[in-house]
Amino acid sequence: KKLKNCRFPLTPPLPPPSTRSSAEPPRSSLTRTSASLPLLQITSMNMVRTSLLPSAAASIVLLLAAAGARAFSPTSRYSAPRREFRPATATDVSAETSPPLSPESAAVMDGVIGKVMAGLPEEGKDGGMRENLDHFIREYFTACDVMAGLPEEGKDGGMRENLDHFIREYFTACDLAGVSPESIADKIGSAIKFGMEYGSGPNKYTFGVSHDAIREPFDYYKWGCDFWSPTMDLENSVVLGKENLDIAFQQIRDGENVVFLANHQSEADPQVFSCMLDKAGFGEEAEHIRYLAGHKVTTDTLAVPFSMGRNLLCIHSKKHIDSDPDTKSGKQRQNLQTMSAMLKMLRAGGTSLWVAPSGGRDRRDTQPRAAGTPPVIPVAPFDTKTVDMFRLMGNKSKVPTHFYPLAMVSYELCPPPDVTEAAVGEQRNVRFSPVGISVGPEVPNVGGLEARNAFTDDAMDAVQKGYVACVEEIREKVPFRCADD
């Protein structure tokens, strides 16, 4: 089945309705065996590298069921606690994260489930094994059905290799967090399925200059947070400047505007910010923040479904606007439309914006260093013209607009490539790591035409100080975990 014959058309702004009838079983309900993760990892990697036919998927599932059914028996608990993101006002989403299977795969799958269940103890005396095996088989078949839609190897622009790498990285990070193999397979399968459905092909989701988070019939905001939160060491994560957050969100409730001037380290920064705000007691406020988004997060296959769950203003950054002269005028025109949409929001009041004035992510210093020394991650400098533009929009809105420095510490979670590339489809690294934010006091309104850099310099200095303080507090709890490669 080719992507061009995709069975599930998407009409913006709402995706197809969800279909799951029962919620994901808790991680702690499954026994963790030494063999369970490698088996699932191996089969997940193979489904990326090959296009499994339903018959092949059936053979693998039957083999796994015969060899490792004990891995699905709920007889003990994980030693690591489940660290799950719970937004303050989130509704319970009991929904299937993957659209239905093709008829051929569904028929074969039903046969496999029947054969496996025939060899198990009676229902009610199996300790929940039937339910867990049924869930795993359905998730595995769905994931294989997705991968069968990829172009042939060598004609996929490196997609298979990147997916292979991402799955390995995500499995490893979640395993360190104590997440069950079944839950990991469920999450990674949903991400790939959504990416194939909405991030590529004829039904690719199209973002306008502004985008409101899709919360129903499926909640992509909660799904994105649930996907990334297991990879965050939330116990050792840090939130500094809560008193400044109290002031900022009160200003928003009073109908004024707040702009968070942030450094940017990870592709998962929106989810990091949400999880850290929830940790500090601002889960509801986190849901309403709007992010200035570059072209990658609205066009990259895997990034699209996560962006569907965020409030966005879509813009082309200065770093990439000149990459293709033929499209430059169109990008500039879109940026003007985005600024117009943003001004309208600021005039309405009560708007909260997250913006990275550097125009991209912080990247490590690749200069040689002593053995055993962690890489240096310098905060990328803010662009004065970008900051001035937001100040101008705030003034034109005639509504009080406040600017707060926001330091983001998330590099280890999902380290970006060392080199900035305009093209999408980068290889993704994932680490189980603590994250952190530090929010400084409101940036004083200094610097006019004769001292244009003063305001930007003050904001940048505040972010730098908050970043150092945040890193130091995290390092008191855990060492630097990010590998060199």
Side-chain angles (χ1 to χ4, degrees), residues 19-250:
T19 57
R20 172 175 283 181
S21 58
S22 60
E24 172 190 315
R27 299 176 194 161
S28 58
S29 68
L30 299 177
T31 300
R32 183 180 185 181
T33 67
S34 59
S36 60
L37 177 63
L39 279 171
L40 285 170
Q41 271 192 293
I42 290 169
T43 53
S44 297
M45 298 313 107
N46 286 340
M47 75 186 185
V48 173
R49 286 193 289 265
T50 63
S51 297
L52 287 181
L53 297 174
S55 57
S59 300
I60 293 175
V61 167
L62 288 171
L63 177 63
L64 283 172
R70 285 181 300 173
F72 298 90
S73 176
T75 57
S76 66
R77 293 182 177 274
Y78 281 98
S79 58
R82 181 174 186 175
R83 304 172 186 136
E84 188 169 356
F85 175 82
R86 293 292 184 192
T89 61
T91 55
D92 252 338
V93 177
S94 178
E96 175 64 64
T97 53
S98 303
L101 286 167
S102 61
E104 179 189 13
S105 294
V108 176
M109 180 188 70
D110 289 340
V112 170
I113 290 176
K115 291 180 181 179
V116 171
M117 298 306 162
L120 295 179
E122 295 179 30
E123 192 166 4
K125 299 180 181 180
D126 60 354
M129 191 184 299
R130 288 173 178 270
E131 180 182 357
N132 292 334
L133 271 174
D134 181 282
H135 177 79
F136 169 69
I137 293 171
R138 293 180 185 278
E139 291 296 312
Y140 183 75
F141 262 87
T142 301
C144 290
D145 205 37
V146 171
M147 305 317 296
L150 286 178
E152 294 178 26
E153 193 164 4
K155 300 179 181 180
D156 59 359
M159 187 185 297
R160 290 173 182 269
E161 180 181 357
N162 289 340
L163 282 175
D164 182 300
H165 182 79
F166 180 50
I167 292 173
R168 291 178 186 274
E169 293 282 298
Y170 188 77
F171 256 98
T172 302
C174 288
D175 185 50
L176 287 173
V179 183
S180 73
E182 182 190 37
S183 181
I184 303 173
D186 185 10
K187 293 178 186 298
I188 194 68
S190 68
I192 295 174
K193 185 71 175 178
F194 283 151
M196 294 298 103
E197 292 289 341
Y198 310 134
S200 63
N203 300 315
K204 183 172 183 176
Y205 188 86
T206 301
F207 294 84
V209 295
S210 65
H211 169 79
D212 293 332
I214 299 175
R215 307 299 302 271
E216 57 182 23
F218 183 82
D219 193 338
Y220 284 86
Y221 174 88
K222 183 180 183 297
W223 169 79
C225 291
D226 286 343
F227 181 90
W228 282 108
S229 61
T231 67
M232 302 177 202
D233 183 356
L234 297 179
E235 182 179 339
N236 292 310
S237 295
V238 171
V239 178
L240 302 179
K242 185 177 181 298
E243 67 281 3
N244 298 316
L245 285 169
D246 285 325
I247 298 172
F249 286 121
Q250 184 57 55

Side-chain angles (χ1 to χ4, degrees), residues 304-362:
V304 164
F306 295 98
S307 298
M308 290 165 66
R310 293 284 152 175
N311 302 310
L312 303 178
L313 282 166
C314 303
I315 198 167
H316 294 275
S317 71
K318 292 177 62 177
K319 288 186 177 180
H320 301 301
I321 201 167
D322 295 323
S323 60
D324 181 8
D326 294 336
T327 60
K328 182 176 179 178
S329 60
K331 294 175 182 177
Q332 291 174 328
R333 185 165 53 252
Q334 179 183 326
N335 282 0
L336 289 175
Q337 293 172 345
T338 300
M339 291 301 101
S340 178
M342 181 176 70
L343 180 58
K344 184 177 180 180
M345 294 175 187
L346 293 174
R347 283 174 173 165
T351 296
S352 54
L353 299 176
W354 182 101
V355 58
S358 65
R361 287 168 289 180
D362 303 337

